[in-house]
Amino acid sequence: MNKKRELFKSKKMKLVTVFILITMVVAVIISYSQYQSDKREQVVIAQQKIGNEKIEKKKQEELNNQAELKKLEKEKASKEQDALAKQKKIEGQKVLENEKKLAEQKKIDDEKAEKEDNNEKVINQNTELTKEKAIALVSKIIISDNQKIKVGYDHTQKRDGKNYYVLRAYDDMADHISTLAWYYVDVTTGEAFEWNLMEDTLVPIN
């Protein structure tokens, strides 16, 4: 009887021991599973955090790049405006300088023209024939053969850019004057010409 009780008791202890062992194993497995789950969750959270940090870092880099790009564009635009303003200033100065040079050149040209004009007037005053000299010149040429011919001044005429004294050779009759020929004398050079009425040309006579 005692042996049976002891045997039962022994079996009961074994069962309890096995139950305890199984319970401990299950508890260890559950704990380990929970640990692994927590670890995985921490890894996931850490990865998400790293990913978020990378995204934020990338966003910040993009913002910085955009800000830097805008800064560079602004600096470039400012430099271009400064260069344009400088170029306009230089061009304005060149225009003013050219205008000044043109004004100075015009003044020089005007003074030169005035001087030449004055010189020409002086030369003309010194070289131009008088009407009387022109009459004497033509008379000397044409009256040598006929003493009855007279030469008189009629008018001054510009022909082919030159000034001429126009003289008339005539016979002074008792009741009228008979024109014999017309003569042109260059006011400047003193060259004398006879006017060909039919061809309207000047024929040199001296």
Side-chain angles (χ1 to χ4, degrees), residues 35-49:
Y35 169 75
Q36 290 294 330
S37 177
D38 293 341
K39 189 175 181 181
R40 283 195 297 271
E41 186 176 353
Q42 290 176 357
V43 171
V44 170
I45 292 171
Q47 289 176 346
Q48 288 179 346
K49 185 177 180 181

Side-chain angles (χ1 to χ4, degrees), residues 32 40 42 46 55 60 62 69 81-82 94 102 104 110 123 150 164 176 180:
Y32 182 75
R40 283 195 297 271
Q42 290 176 357
I55 291 171
Q60 189 62 41
E62 289 178 354
L69 184 60
Q81 288 179 352
D82 291 343
K94 286 183 178 179
L102 289 173
E104 291 175 351
D110 290 344
I123 292 171
K150 293 183 178 181
Y164 294 91
H176 70 281
L180 302 175

Side-chain angles (χ1 to χ4, degrees), residues 28-186:
V28 170
I29 292 172
I30 292 172
S31 297
Y32 182 75
S33 296
Q34 186 65 38
Y35 169 75
Q36 290 294 330
S37 177
D38 293 341
K39 189 175 181 181
R40 283 195 297 271
E41 186 176 353
Q42 290 176 357
V43 171
V44 170
I45 292 171
Q47 289 176 346
Q48 288 179 346
K49 185 177 180 181
I50 292 170
N52 291 335
E53 288 176 352
K54 287 182 178 180
I55 291 171
E56 290 297 325
K57 185 178 180 180
K58 188 174 182 181
K59 286 182 178 179
Q60 189 62 41
E61 288 177 353
E62 289 178 354
L63 291 174
N64 292 338
N65 290 336
Q66 289 177 359
E68 186 67 22
L69 184 60
K70 287 181 179 179
K71 182 180 178 181
L72 292 174
E73 289 176 350
K74 188 175 180 181
E75 290 177 353
K76 183 179 179 182
S78 178
K79 288 180 179 179
E80 289 176 351
Q81 288 179 352
D82 291 343
L84 184 61
K86 187 176 181 181
Q87 184 65 27
K88 285 183 177 179
K89 185 177 180 181
I90 292 172
E91 290 176 356
Q93 290 176 345
K94 286 183 178 179
V95 169
L96 292 175
E97 288 175 359
N98 289 334
E99 289 178 351
K100 185 177 179 181
K101 287 180 180 178
L102 289 173
E104 291 175 351
Q105 187 61 43
K106 186 177 183 301
K107 184 179 179 181
I108 292 171
D109 292 341
D110 290 344
E111 290 175 351
K112 184 179 179 182
E114 185 179 358
K115 186 176 181 180
E116 289 177 352
D117 188 51
N118 292 334
N119 290 338
E120 186 176 352
K121 286 180 180 179
V122 171
I123 292 171
N124 289 338
Q125 289 174 356
N126 295 331
T127 60
E128 278 187 1
L129 292 177
T130 63
K131 299 171 186 176
E132 291 75 16
K133 287 182 179 180
I135 292 172
L137 176 65
V138 173
S139 297
K140 185 178 180 181
I141 296 172
I142 69 171
I143 295 178
S144 58
D145 296 331
N146 189 345
Q147 297 296 328
K148 293 182 180 180
I149 297 175
K150 293 183 178 181
V151 178
Y153 169 80
D154 189 80
H155 64 279
T156 302
Q157 180 180 336
K158 191 166 188 177
R159 183 184 177 106
D160 298 327
K162 295 180 179 180
N163 290 321
Y164 294 91
Y165 291 132
V166 181
L167 309 179
R168 180 173 61 169
Y170 61 93
D171 271 337
D172 190 2
M173 305 295 187
D175 57 346
H176 70 281
I177 292 175
S178 176
T179 300
L180 302 175
W182 292 93
Y183 296 91
Y184 282 68
V185 179
D186 191 317

